[in-house]
Amino acid sequence: MQGKGLITIVAIVLGLICLNELLPTWYASKIESQIEAANGNEKEIKRLKEDTLNLGFTQLYYSKAKDKEMKLGLDLKGGINVLLEINQRDLVNDLTNYSSNPVLIEALNKTDEVQKNSTRSYIDNFFDQFDAVNRAKGTNLKLADPELFGNTTLTEVKYNTPDEQVKSIVKRKIDASVGTAFEVIRTRIDKMGAVQPNVQRVPGTARISVEMPGMKDIDKVKKMLQTSAKLQFWEVQQVPEMAPYFQTLTSIVAAKGDSMGVAKTTNFMNLLHLDKLRTNGVANVKLSDTAAVNKILNSKVAQSLRPANIKYTQFMWGYKPEANDAESLVLYAIRSNINRKAPVDGAVETANISYDELSRVVVDMQMDSKGAKEWKTLTEKNVGKPVAVTLDDRVYTAPNVVNAIPNGRTQISGNFSQEEAKELVDVLGAGKLPAGAKVVQATVVGPSLGQESIDAGMISFGIAFLLIIVYIIFYYGGAGVYAVIAMIINLFYIFGIMDSVDATLTLPGIAGIVLTMAMAVDTNVIIYERTKEELFAGKSILEAYKDGFKHALNAIVDGHLTTLLTAGVLFLFGTGPIKGFALTLGIGILMTFFTSVLISRAMIFSRLNKGKNLSVWTPATKNLFRNTWIDFIGKRKYAYIVSAILTVICIASIAINGFRYGIDFTGGRNYVVRFDKPVNAEDIEGKLITLFKTEDGKNSSVEAKTFGNDNQLKISTDYLIEDESLKADQVIEQKLFEGLKSELPSKTTLADFKSADKDHAGIISSEKVGPTVADDIQTHGILAVVAALAGIFIYILVRFRKWQFSLGAVAALFHDAVIILGAYSLLHKFMPFNMEINQDFIAAILTVLGYSINDTVIIFDRIREYLREKKSLTLAGLFDDSISSTLGRTFNTSFTTILVILAIFIFGGDNLRGFMFAMLIGIGFGTYSSIFIASAIAYDFLKTGKEDEVHGKSTTSKEVLASK
């Protein structure tokens, strides 16, 4: 065999690289098992962590091995994943030096609205809106105008700089600002001590993806990441200046409270508790009343009644309750302006924990030179008056200025604990974000659920692998043993390569690996079925294997490339776990070709060249499908009728029943809640609906479904979905706790409920998807399917050079997609597992398309071969011969793949059941459509004129196919 030596060398080198990459994972796992067995023995634990294993070519010790071990995703390890979005409006405001130009303000407002349903970047939409507003108002403003980007902030922009050049400069500056935010976020995460965090920019957006396996405190993480460290200093307005306005609002609430979101019986002045005010604030509000006060102050009615002296006033809450009143928050009135620019807005150079004269924890800061100058001016102007120190629109302190402060040094006091002060110092020390950040998508998986996912994944993996081994050896005998060896090597390479490229292994990734095993079986099936045909033709065992590998190669390449195309589309358009699935599938496909075609070939011919025999069947399977011949083309009309009926039913169901969309398509929040006893989903849903009401009194969408066991629920809601703040998350968790409290153990606290583990009932995982992200995911999902179909059409056209084949292939794929969609529409109300249309479903659809086209390509490849070799056949006879001769391969591939999917469906855990159900339907109908749809349509469009309706095995006719 040519190239055997090179293949052996490559295999050994690749094996050594993978071994070197996987050793740290093995060693870290070994040490952690021993640490767990030490039962808290500090001396023994210290010894184990300091121990070193010398293997000659490398030394292993725990801390280094831990850093280099394979990364596990949240669904396997537990932890937190958030998608942060940097506020690009803030960036534009900063670049325009907070201009109050009306064209700019209107363009920004319109961009905010457009962005909710757009997948384009904010800045591109802004420029479009600016041009539109500019034309509508007839102002003919240039972007380089001093009121816009032609200011001292952007020295690159001159008065006569063309608009297109300004756009390019602004885009570059914004991209640089997002890059700065990325570095600040990464620094903050390092300070949090996260193990193996994964921080990435999302290309083409102002978004940053942060994954922190093992982290539990989602509130702390969100706060740390969202805090922009925007330290600002403001003048403070006090009660005498605000009292007349508050009196007016009290009267208005009594008359128009309903339109302000509160009851008319609400006494606004009573909510303010001015008699208890001990600070420079304007109200002392009970925590339970802060929402009502916010509704009143932020209502359109209240805004319209503001007198001139408080037209631009910002109302801000204190950072936390005062030490002498833990049940209330102080409300401050901050003197502001039209563009909300603070008098002092300087970054902090240094921040340290210190103590004041009463031994209270405070934070000492030194501002940069710009901030120091502004601080000096502000303190000179306000001697004897209060000045508020705010961080991200929260007032930390508002003391009276005693003397002007010339050196930029100041102090924040806020009734801090030592831990809170440290968090603040870490945030300030990591640097200021160039703009505000908000969490637009978040996933939290508890550690116990992560371990359960690992267990379920490994069980399904083991069962699927065992089934494949038993079947492949049963069917192909000795050749099957070599296929199994190639699969084991394949798995070793996949894990090693994933580790070497720092990829994260997720539960969908494990599914991708298991499906790769099925793909490896398919490759061996193609080779061995062709080898059997050569043996039946009377060739020697050596010649049969040579021709078997040779004739199978085209079909294998086509099948691998179409599946690789699907994986590429998934990787390009997918996010999070779907990217992991696509990456695993892509690596698996490449390694399958290397191991099942090249390494397997080298091993087999090494044996055969020594004169040893190698069976390619067993007595039970030798003649299976050998003489099977079916008149598929003659029966195609029946298939058309069946498919037409099914398609009509599916389309009707889609139109009438619709789908159950997941939150990644609609936006919303999901919570998986575990109880210590069985619960009734309908009863709980009824309780929660009464709690989740919007400001206008309408019920928000709430759905509770049994998730896996009858003591687990998956609760979904779109309540407050437009509010992406940490406060909104906490409000929803509080309401959820109140609604479920009667079903929880009596001593369960809110903290226990939010971070449940195997010993506590409560939230074991949660997910939030903002509306803009949901829109992006939906758009990308549709694009992924369209791109896959278009790519497959073009590939088939190039490979087979006949558009009829491309049409047949795409029609079959469309048929499969409609059947799967129809099944989900028909069954989503009845199945005991999740059947949502979400990212996982899109991944399943695309994977099915890849496998279906793989089946189709095998048949088309045989048709192409027979078109060259059997020109005396009628077209119908040629198609029938081609399909019949590949039945063994079609059955074996579909059967083993369905076995694998069934193993994952049954044993792989609740999160994968919906995904695998789509795969089960898809593989079944994909096999059917390859034969009865793709081949039949290709035949009907390839026919020229009225062909003799003669059907039978190897039938001939006067019409030959030379012209075809």
Side-chain angles (χ1 to χ4, degrees), residues 814-885:
F814 178 78
H815 167 272
D816 298 342
V818 170
I819 295 295
I820 298 172
L821 286 166
Y824 267 61
S825 175
L826 281 166
L827 302 174
H828 71 80
K829 295 178 181 177
F830 310 106
M831 286 296 183
F833 51 84
N834 179 34
M835 291 189 72
E836 294 177 346
I837 304 297
N838 54 21
Q839 286 188 89
D840 290 348
F841 178 81
I842 294 295
I845 286 276
L846 287 171
T847 307
V848 165
L849 297 187
Y851 270 77
S852 179
I853 196 63
N854 199 18
D855 276 346
T856 303
V857 161
I858 299 299
I859 297 171
F860 282 1
D861 190 72
R862 187 60 62 93
I863 293 170
R864 179 175 56 183
E865 182 182 329
Y866 282 5
L867 280 169
R868 293 193 301 264
E869 298 175 0
K870 297 188 176 185
K871 295 186 177 181
S872 60
L873 287 180
T874 63
L875 189 60
L878 186 146
F879 267 69
D880 285 336
D881 279 8
S882 300
I883 300 169
S884 297
S885 66

Side-chain angles (χ1 to χ4, degrees), residues 477-524:
V481 174
Y482 281 88
V484 170
I485 294 171
M487 271 197 296
I488 293 171
I489 296 172
N490 188 10
L491 288 174
F492 178 67
Y493 285 163
I494 290 171
F495 282 111
I497 291 171
M498 286 186 67
D499 203 4
S500 67
V501 299
D502 214 23
T504 301
L505 182 64
T506 62
L507 201 56
I510 289 178
I513 291 172
V514 177
L515 291 172
T516 296
M517 289 161 50
M519 188 81 180
V521 171
D522 179 46
T523 301
N524 286 289

Side-chain angles (χ1 to χ4, degrees), residues 193-206:
V195 178
Q196 289 189 321
N198 185 16
V199 189
Q200 295 179 330
R201 285 187 62 180
V202 180
T205 71

Side-chain angles (χ1 to χ4, degrees), residues 490-731:
N490 188 10
L491 288 174
F492 178 67
Y493 285 163
I494 290 171
F495 282 111
I497 291 171
M498 286 186 67
D499 203 4
S500 67
V501 299
D502 214 23
T504 301
L505 182 64
T506 62
L507 201 56
I510 289 178
I513 291 172
V514 177
L515 291 172
T516 296
M517 289 161 50
M519 188 81 180
V521 171
D522 179 46
T523 301
N524 286 289
V525 166
I526 296 170
I527 294 168
Y528 295 158
E529 287 297 316
R530 289 308 298 248
T531 301
K532 286 170 69 175
E533 290 179 27
E534 304 301 331
L535 284 170
F536 289 138
K539 294 182 180 179
S540 68
I541 188 73
L542 184 61
E543 288 301 315
Y545 269 105
K546 282 182 180 178
D547 287 346
F549 273 95
K550 177 183 175 183
H551 293 309
L553 189 60
N554 273 344
I556 292 170
V557 169
D558 285 336
H560 278 62
L561 283 177
T562 49
T563 308
L564 194 62
L565 174 66
T566 303
V569 169
L570 274 172
F571 188 81
L572 184 64
F573 292 101
T575 58
I578 303 306
K579 273 189 183 291
F581 173 80
L583 179 64
T584 305
L585 188 61
I587 293 171
I589 291 165
L590 296 174
M591 287 302 99
T592 294
F593 186 85
F594 180 66
T595 55
S596 297
V597 177
L598 300 179
I599 292 181
S600 179
R601 181 187 176 97
M603 290 190 297
I604 287 172
F605 281 101
S606 177
R607 178 184 176 87
L608 294 175
N609 288 332
K610 294 175 183 176
K612 297 179 181 179
N613 192 31
L614 184 63
S615 65
V616 75
W617 55 58
T618 62
T621 61
K622 179 178 180 179
N623 293 311
L624 281 177
F625 301 106
R626 181 179 176 187
N627 297 310
T628 303
W629 191 94
I630 300 171
D631 183 13
F632 290 105
I633 295 301
K635 295 177 172 60
R636 72 189 187 283
K637 292 179 182 177
Y638 299 111
Y640 284 160
I641 292 170
V642 171
S643 290
I645 292 171
L646 287 174
T647 302
V648 169
I649 291 172
C650 290
I651 291 174
S653 176
I654 291 168
I656 297 168
N657 297 328
F659 301 106
R660 178 189 297 161
Y661 288 102
I663 63 165
D664 40 6
F665 272 23
T666 61
R669 292 173 174 86
N670 275 341
Y671 299 90
V672 177
V673 183
R674 179 175 293 169
F675 301 85
D676 62 344
K677 60 183 179 182
V679 291
N680 186 296
E682 290 185 9
D683 290 347
I684 285 179
E685 184 176 302
K687 290 179 184 178
L688 294 177
I689 285 174
T690 61
L691 286 173
F692 289 95
K693 288 188 176 181
T694 57
E695 290 185 7
D696 57 5
K698 293 180 180 178
N699 292 328
S700 296
S701 169
V702 180
E703 183 180 68
K705 295 288 181 184
T706 300
F707 187 73
N709 302 323
D710 57 6
N711 69 328
Q712 282 187 175
L713 292 181
K714 185 174 186 179
I715 299 168
S716 305
T717 179
D718 61 1
Y719 180 66
L720 295 182
I721 191 51
E722 296 288 344
D723 188 345
E724 293 165 336
S725 68
L726 174 59
K727 180 69 176 175
D729 296 337
Q730 293 170 336
V731 166

Side-chain angles (χ1 to χ4, degrees), residues 352-396:
N352 301 288
I353 297 176
S354 185
Y355 301 90
D356 64 11
E357 64 277 3
L358 298 177
S359 298
R360 294 174 301 192
V361 178
V362 295
V363 174
D364 278 333
M365 300 176 304
Q366 174 63 54
M367 284 183 280
D368 60 17
S369 57
K370 177 177 177 289
K373 290 177 183 176
E374 292 172 345
W375 183 224
K376 179 174 183 271
T377 302
L378 182 64
T379 52
E380 284 177 341
K381 181 181 175 183
N382 287 279
V383 172
K385 299 176 184 177
V387 169
V389 181
T390 69
L391 188 68
D392 294 338
D393 299 331
R394 286 279 183 171
V395 178
Y396 276 70

Side-chain angles (χ1 to χ4, degrees), residues 93-332:
N93 275 329
D94 188 57
L95 291 175
T96 60
N97 204 17
Y98 290 86
S99 170
S100 56
N101 183 281
V103 175
L104 173 70
I105 300 298
E106 186 174 340
L108 286 170
N109 291 338
K110 288 191 173 184
T111 305
D112 290 342
E113 290 302 314
V114 169
Q115 197 64 24
K116 292 178 182 178
N117 300 299
S118 173
T119 57
R120 298 178 70 216
S121 71
Y122 184 94
I123 194 63
D124 284 332
N125 281 330
F126 165 72
F127 285 135
D128 287 348
Q129 294 304 315
F130 175 82
D131 291 341
V133 174
N134 206 9
R135 285 195 303 272
K137 290 183 175 293
T139 47
N140 295 319
L141 268 176
K142 298 295 182 185
L143 291 172
D145 189 281
E147 285 194 23
L148 299 177
F149 297 103
N151 57 72
T152 54
T153 304
L154 276 176
T155 55
E156 298 168 68
V157 177
K158 310 300 180 186
Y159 185 74
N160 58 351
T161 303
D163 277 2
E164 288 306 313
Q165 191 175 337
V166 175
K167 290 178 181 179
S168 177
I169 293 169
V170 169
K171 286 181 181 179
R172 191 169 67 249
K173 287 286 187 182
I174 285 181
D175 187 65
S177 294
V178 177
T180 300
F182 171 76
E183 294 300 330
V184 170
I185 293 295
R186 193 162 59 178
T187 303
R188 290 182 185 178
I189 290 169
D190 289 341
K191 289 178 178 290
M192 292 178 74
V195 178
Q196 289 189 321
N198 185 16
V199 189
Q200 295 179 330
R201 285 187 62 180
V202 180
T205 71
R207 292 173 181 165
I208 299 168
S209 173
V210 178
E211 188 167 281
M212 304 173 72
M215 294 295 288
K216 299 177 183 179
D217 191 343
I218 180 65
D219 288 351
K220 179 180 177 181
V221 170
K222 285 181 179 178
K223 180 181 171 184
M224 191 76 165
L225 297 181
Q226 286 183 271
T227 299
S228 68
K230 184 173 68 176
L231 188 69
Q232 296 177 320
F233 298 80
W234 305 83
E235 294 181 359
V236 177
Q237 295 173 276
Q238 295 184 273
V239 173
E241 200 171 354
M242 305 302 299
Y245 176 59
F246 287 164
Q247 290 288 356
T248 301
L249 287 183
T250 302
S251 303
I252 293 298
V253 170
K256 300 182 178 181
D258 293 344
S259 64
M260 303 171 83
V262 297
K264 291 181 180 180
T265 55
T266 303
N267 188 311
F268 182 60
M269 284 301 288
N270 286 349
L271 296 181
L272 303 181
H273 295 288
L274 298 180
D275 56 317
K276 296 182 179 179
L277 193 60
R278 300 289 182 270
T279 68
N280 286 318
V282 292
N284 194 63
V285 183
K286 287 185 177 179
L287 291 171
S288 57
D289 292 332
T290 54
V293 171
N294 278 334
K295 288 177 184 178
I296 294 168
L297 291 176
N298 295 328
S299 67
K300 290 182 179 179
V301 176
Q303 297 278 353
S304 66
L305 292 172
R306 288 191 177 195
N309 65 318
I310 62 168
K311 184 177 182 180
Y312 301 115
T313 295
Q314 295 185 63
F315 291 101
M316 295 185 189
W317 294 102
Y319 161 67
K320 62 185 293 188
E322 297 291 315
N324 58 357
D325 189 356
E327 300 299 320
S328 301
L329 269 184
V330 176
L331 181 69
Y332 294 86

